Amino acid sequence: MKILPRSMEEAQEQEAVELLERRASRLREQAETTVEEAVHWIAEFPLGEERYALSLEMLRAALPLRMVTPVPLSAPHVVGVLRFQGQVLSALSLASMLGGHGWRQDPAVLLVVDRGDGELCALDCEAIPRPTTLPMSVVEAARVRAEGPVMEVFTQDRQLIHLIDLKRLFTTRSTGGRNAR
């Protein structure tokens, strides 16, 4: 520790006080101008070269794909079946359900999700999703514009995320409609 003359110590102390006061003033200004916006939590994951997401509230679990039992002669989008908390669930190919997008790598994870009607199913996925948020206003605007189950949403850093509305996805599938965006 350097021993400084008293006047230098006082000068440094005065500089520190002034610096802290400037910082406090800036923070007060930011707090006054910053308005908390409602956010929508999502589970984001890659699908091929694009980024997709589901509402985090619809996600129930992430499981290894090896738990699936194949079902012979099933529809092309059906990967198989699995047991989850005492229930037998369908394991479905998300890429196939969205109209043929291909995975960049083989799926290794199953996402157990609520289809939007209270029923659970599992969707294959390349990786465990990353939780993140989107502004609620952006999600609502995309929902109004979207015609199908996939909504295109831009993040604050201008990255495109395809937000999947599971209720619309499964309603479209059950009515026999096409799932293209």
Side-chain angles (χ1 to χ4, degrees):
M1 180 168 132
K2 279 188 176 179
I3 298 178
L4 300 173
R6 190 155 187 75
S7 62
M8 289 183 92
E9 286 179 5
E10 288 175 358
Q12 284 182 337
E13 192 173 301
Q14 182 62 29
E15 285 179 31
V17 168
E18 289 173 3
L19 176 66
L20 291 173
E21 286 175 353
R22 285 194 308 266
R23 287 180 181 171
S25 174
R26 270 193 313 234
L27 288 173
R28 266 189 243 106
E29 289 172 10
Q30 286 177 352
E32 291 170 2
T33 60
T34 304
V35 176
E36 290 284 326
E37 185 175 1
V39 294
H40 184 75
W41 281 92
I42 59 171
E44 179 190 344
F45 54 91
L47 184 115
E49 298 297 320
E50 298 175 330
R51 294 166 55 185
Y52 279 77
L54 304 166
S55 284
L56 195 59
E57 65 191 17
M58 304 304 265
L59 184 62
R60 298 295 181 258
L63 306 170
L65 185 66
R66 67 178 181 272
M67 297 178 69
V68 174
T69 303
V71 177
L73 304 174
S74 61
H77 67 278
V78 176
V79 176
V81 295
L82 73 143
R83 289 185 64 86
F84 176 73
Q85 296 181 347
Q87 295 180 17
V88 176
L89 304 180
S90 298
L92 308 172
S93 169
L94 184 59
S96 177
M97 292 180 71
L98 292 174
H101 293 80
W103 293 107
R104 197 174 30 203
Q105 62 188 27
D106 286 341
V109 177
L110 285 172
L111 304 178
V112 177
V113 297
D114 180 338
R115 299 178 353 162
D117 59 3
E119 295 292 320
L120 298 179
C121 72
L123 301 171
D124 63 356
C125 185
E126 285 181 28
I128 294 175
R130 180 178 68 94
T132 188
T133 60
L134 292 170
M136 186 64 81
S137 59
V138 173
V139 173
E140 290 302 322
R143 185 169 279 128
V144 169
R145 286 190 318 267
E147 295 177 11
V150 179
M151 300 170 273
E152 293 183 346
V153 179
F154 286 93
T155 63
Q156 292 174 340
D157 59 347
R158 308 302 299 158
Q159 298 290 320
L160 176 63
I161 294 180
H162 302 281
L163 184 59
I164 303 167
D165 183 332
L166 291 173
K167 188 170 187 167
R168 284 185 185 179
L169 179 67
F170 286 102
T171 300
T172 304
R173 287 220 59 91
S174 66
T175 58
R178 178 94 177 122
N179 290 319
R181 289 180 268 163

